[in-house]
Amino acid sequence: MDSPTNTTTQNPSSVPGTVPGFNHSHAIISSLLSFPNSSPISIGSSFDRELDKALASASGDVSAQDSLVDRTLQLASLLLDSTKRCFRKRASVHNFSTWFLPPELTIKVFSMLDTKSLMQAAACCTMFNSCAMDRSSYAHIDLTTATRQADSGVVCVMIHRAGKELRSLKLGRVARSDGSDSTPSLLNGSFLSPLSYNHGFLGSRLRSLRLYNIRPINYTSFIEVLSVCSNLTDLRISGLKFPGMLLFKKLTEKCRLIENLCLEAYQVPGTTDTNAGSPLIDFVTNSYNLTSLTLISYRLTDGLALNLAESSSKLKYLNLSRSPTLNGRFLRDLGHSCKESSLETLIMRNCYYLQEKEVLELCNSLIKGKFKSIRHIDVSSNSGILSNNGARIYKPKLPLEKLKEERSDVTFVADFPLVRSGKRYRVCDEGAEEELREIEMMEANNVGGSEDESDDEEFDDDEDTSNGTGEDDSEGDLEF
């Protein structure tokens, strides 16, 4: 005879792996979620009645009532948080299914954003956050639009997030303060130190480094960082104080792949002649990939300027604007001596002591068919040009029409606007974002940027233009 079937219900707490009360809690939550569809007022009234009953049952114990209210608030908060998490998960699944770009292309797009915009995109949704945390999204770090928030700690975090994907780094304030905003730079001397970690592994990944008006900058520390950036091809520093020849010496030793060098200095003591500037000449001579050289506000002699133009076999773009010492004597020699030169663009805007006779001599050399490589020359100035008798004139007698007939392949810009004309070149002593954009635009048009940067650059045309994630995510999210 078969034994009778045991119909006794097993205690949930005795089931291996089951937390006591779990099934009971699950049943209550399931019952709550399956609550009949009623008006919010009706549901709220039901909650009020049940809570009042519970409080009434403990009417004699105030602490028990307080505990009950606190516990109810905690449960309600947990339910709200859980609901929000479920909502975000559903929204994330929806975004992944409806977003028209695959993750790899989304990451590529994100890598083209400035870092502030990237952080804002990361806060939009879980899907964007996932793509924004990818190392490749930080390949090109641009913190020039977040100067009020980007301190040394933020820069270090971004460099670590990029890791081995790091290719370019832009820091500082592109547009200088006009006096109304005197906020000091949040960057100190150690903001580039992560590039030197692990024997300079991250520094060796860097291709482009651009620093704008970071003052004061620890010159010694910066030189040491350059020592590990052996694969640097693009270096631009605006607002460099007292740029010594040690910089060019270090570049010659450690950064032999430089293609584009742009230095804009201020408060340069003394005039740099050929002897004093020999490290600069050595750099130009030994940098076999150098195609673009910009030295703004450098006190150069004409002899040194001529040596620079003649020293490089690949130099196509030379910008010596705002030099307070050049008179243009090297221009006549340039027209006669550069027979095999590769120089295509020469910019000398706002050179205060530039002389009319020297520019005229260059024009005549071009008309005679010399200096065959040149394609673009700009000697425009807000302050006019010095005539033969030393007077400052705004309408020099230059044979530009004849030059245009004889050398249609050459664009010669010699614009000296009067103050009353309303047109003023923004290449001034204080500098401006407009000037830097013009410099980059001219270089891009005449030389072409480095491969990693070519897709990032945007320039504004206006009427004045003539010319990483670490090994862990402990850093948390940064807000800009």
Side-chain angles (χ1 to χ4, degrees):
M1 185 176 180
D2 295 333
S3 62
T5 303
N6 184 3
T7 58
T8 303
T9 304
Q10 190 174 19
N11 188 338
S13 62
S14 65
V15 179
T18 302
V19 179
F22 175 80
N23 287 347
H24 182 61
S25 301
H26 180 74
I28 293 176
I29 295 174
S30 298
S31 176
L32 181 62
L33 295 178
S34 60
F35 197 88
N37 190 14
S38 303
S39 67
I41 296 178
S42 176
I43 297 175
S45 298
S46 299
F47 285 157
D48 290 343
R49 286 194 301 269
E50 295 303 319
L51 185 57
D52 288 339
K53 289 180 182 179
L55 290 173
S57 64
S59 58
D61 190 346
V62 177
S63 62
Q65 289 180 337
D66 292 340
S67 178
L68 177 61
V69 171
D70 292 340
R71 178 61 176 165
T72 304
L73 289 174
Q74 183 183 15
L75 291 174
S77 177
L78 291 173
L79 179 60
L80 179 61
D81 291 342
S82 179
T83 304
K84 288 181 177 179
R85 284 195 297 271
C86 291
F87 175 79
R88 287 195 295 267
K89 288 179 181 179
R90 292 185 70 253
S92 179
V93 172
H94 172 76
N95 290 340
F96 272 110
S97 62
T98 58
W99 182 245
F100 57 91
L101 293 179
E104 59 271 15
L105 286 183
T106 303
I107 293 171
K108 177 64 175 178
V109 172
F110 281 2
S111 69
M112 299 177 184
L113 298 177
D114 63 87
T115 308
K116 181 177 181 180
S117 299
L118 178 61
M119 292 294 95
Q120 292 171 337
C124 290
C125 64
T126 304
M127 184 194 71
F128 275 13
N129 184 270
S130 176
C131 293
M133 290 301 104
D134 189 277
R135 287 180 183 270
S136 299
S137 294
Y138 297 89
H140 305 288
I141 299 174
D142 182 359
L143 288 168
T144 57
T145 58
T147 54
R148 294 180 182 273
Q149 299 85 9
D151 58 13
S152 300
V154 170
V155 174
C156 291
V157 168
M158 294 301 167
I159 292 176
H160 283 299
R161 281 189 178 180
K164 65 179 181 180
E165 300 297 330
L166 182 64
R167 293 298 180 270
S168 69
L169 183 60
K170 296 181 183 179
L171 303 173
R173 188 190 303 271
V174 176
R176 289 184 188 166
S177 172
D178 58 2
S180 60
D181 182 5
S182 58
T183 304
S185 173
L186 298 177
L187 301 174
N188 57 40
S190 61
F191 64 96
L192 292 177
S193 58
L195 298 177
S196 301
Y197 295 166
N198 194 17
H199 305 289
F201 173 74
L202 297 182
S204 68
R205 315 296 293 181
L206 198 64
R207 300 292 184 272
S208 175
L209 176 61
R210 301 186 183 186
L211 306 178
Y212 299 99
N213 303 304
I214 300 176
R215 303 172 187 170
I217 185 172
N218 189 320
Y219 195 69
T220 302
S221 175
F222 175 67
I223 293 295
E224 293 176 355
V225 169
L226 283 181
S227 299
V228 300
C229 299
S230 57
N231 291 307
L232 205 62
T233 62
D234 176 55
L235 176 62
R236 305 186 183 208
I237 309 175
S238 174
L240 185 63
K241 186 176 181 180
F242 300 128
M245 291 296 115
L246 178 61
L247 172 62
F248 298 106
K249 183 178 180 181
K250 185 63 64 174
L251 291 175
T252 303
E253 295 173 353
K254 302 296 183 178
C255 305
R256 305 296 293 273
L257 302 180
I258 288 283
E259 298 175 7
N260 306 312
L261 177 65
C262 176
L263 302 177
E264 187 253 356
Y266 76 105
Q267 298 182 7
V268 183
T271 302
T272 306
D273 57 20
T274 303
N275 291 329
S278 57
L280 172 57
I281 297 175
D282 291 341
F283 164 74
V284 175
T285 302
N286 296 298
S287 298
Y288 302 110
N289 295 328
L290 186 68
T291 58
S292 173
L293 177 63
T294 297
L295 300 175
I296 304 294
S297 296
Y298 270 69
R299 303 177 66 89
L300 307 175
T301 63
D302 282 84
L304 180 56
L306 181 62
N307 280 342
L308 291 178
E310 295 178 334
S311 296
S312 175
S313 59
K314 289 188 176 182
L315 191 65
K316 295 183 178 180
Y317 178 96
L318 179 62
N319 190 331
L320 302 177
S321 294
R322 272 196 275 139
S323 173
T325 51
L326 291 176
N327 61 28
R329 178 64 179 82
F330 82 98
L331 292 176
R332 69 167 67 201
D333 298 327
L334 198 64
H336 292 284
S337 63
C338 289
K339 297 180 181 180
E340 304 299 329
S341 173
S342 60
L343 191 64
E344 297 180 359
T345 301
L346 175 63
I347 309 296
M348 292 184 61
R349 301 176 71 176
N350 278 26
C351 291
Y352 190 80
Y353 289 106
L354 186 63
Q355 298 181 2
E356 177 189 21
K357 63 180 180 180
E358 306 301 346
V359 177
L360 176 60
E361 187 66 27
L362 176 60
C363 288
N364 291 331
S365 297
L366 294 175
I367 292 174
K368 294 177 182 179
K370 299 178 180 179
F371 205 176
K372 295 184 181 298
S373 65
I374 199 69
R375 292 295 178 269
H376 186 101
I377 299 176
D378 190 343
V379 294
S380 302
S381 176
N382 294 332
S383 304
I385 191 171
L386 287 177
S387 64
N388 294 337
N389 59 10
R392 195 161 292 280
I393 59 177
Y394 291 85
K395 292 184 178 180
K397 297 179 181 180
L398 301 176
L400 298 184
E401 290 297 327
K402 185 175 181 180
L403 175 61
K404 187 175 181 180
E405 294 176 1
E406 299 294 331
R407 295 288 299 273
S408 59
D409 58 330
V410 176
T411 299
F412 200 109
V413 183
D415 195 358
F416 306 96
L418 294 172
V419 175
R420 63 174 180 269
S421 70
K423 181 179 181 181
R424 302 286 288 171
Y425 285 95
R426 296 192 178 107
V427 189
C428 54
D429 290 339
E430 292 80 15
E433 180 180 4
E434 212 68 40
E435 175 191 358
L436 294 173
R437 290 190 178 278
E438 286 183 0
I439 288 173
E440 293 181 348
M441 182 178 67
M442 287 187 292
E443 291 175 351
N445 290 340
N446 292 280
V447 179
S450 61
E451 181 178 353
D452 290 328
E453 289 288 302
S454 60
D455 294 332
D456 310 290
E457 296 296 337
E458 294 181 359
F459 307 103
D460 298 327
D461 292 335
D462 61 23
E463 62 180 4
D464 289 345
T465 301
S466 55
N467 24 323
T469 311
E471 294 304 319
D472 57 54
D473 294 323
S474 58
E475 305 96 337
D477 293 334
L478 300 174
E479 295 181 359
F480 294 103

